[in-house]
Amino acid sequence: MQTASFTGLVRTLLILIGIYYAFKIIARILMPIILRKMVQKAEQNFKQQTQNQPQQTASNFDKPKVKKEVGEYIDYEEVE
């Protein structure tokens, strides 16, 4: 059975810190590129969806909605 040494602990901590900072540096470089590609892909999908949809005419928006009239509403007050 081996026991942990102080130098092994320090070496492990330095490796973990190095990996952490390497990940941060790589993320700062790659994240803007990845986000830009995601936005471009979403924009292409949006354009494709809008081109495939039939054009709505303005006449649909000009028509007022007709409400059904059920009857006359009367307020009642209690008389004592």
Side-chain angles (χ1 to χ4, degrees):
M1 178 180 263
Q2 296 177 351
T3 59
S5 65
F6 181 71
T7 56
L9 176 66
V10 171
R11 181 174 171 225
T12 303
L13 288 176
L14 288 176
I15 290 172
L16 289 175
I17 292 171
I19 291 172
Y20 172 74
Y21 280 110
F23 180 75
K24 280 181 61 171
I25 291 170
I26 291 171
R28 281 192 183 182
I29 294 170
L30 293 180
M31 287 305 284
I33 296 169
I34 292 171
L35 289 175
R36 191 175 309 123
K37 291 207 183 258
M38 287 175 58
V39 168
Q40 288 174 351
K41 182 73 172 173
E43 184 179 350
Q44 287 175 352
N45 288 340
F46 180 74
K47 285 182 181 179
Q48 186 179 15
Q49 287 176 356
T50 55
Q51 288 175 356
N52 291 340
Q53 289 180 348
Q55 297 293 326
Q56 293 181 350
T57 59
S59 63
N60 292 341
F61 299 111
D62 294 339
K63 296 178 185 176
K65 294 183 179 179
V66 179
K67 294 183 180 179
K68 295 181 181 178
E69 292 192 25
V70 179
E72 187 175 333
Y73 292 99
I74 302 172
D75 275 338
Y76 291 101
E77 294 182 13
E78 285 187 31
V79 179
E80 293 184 24

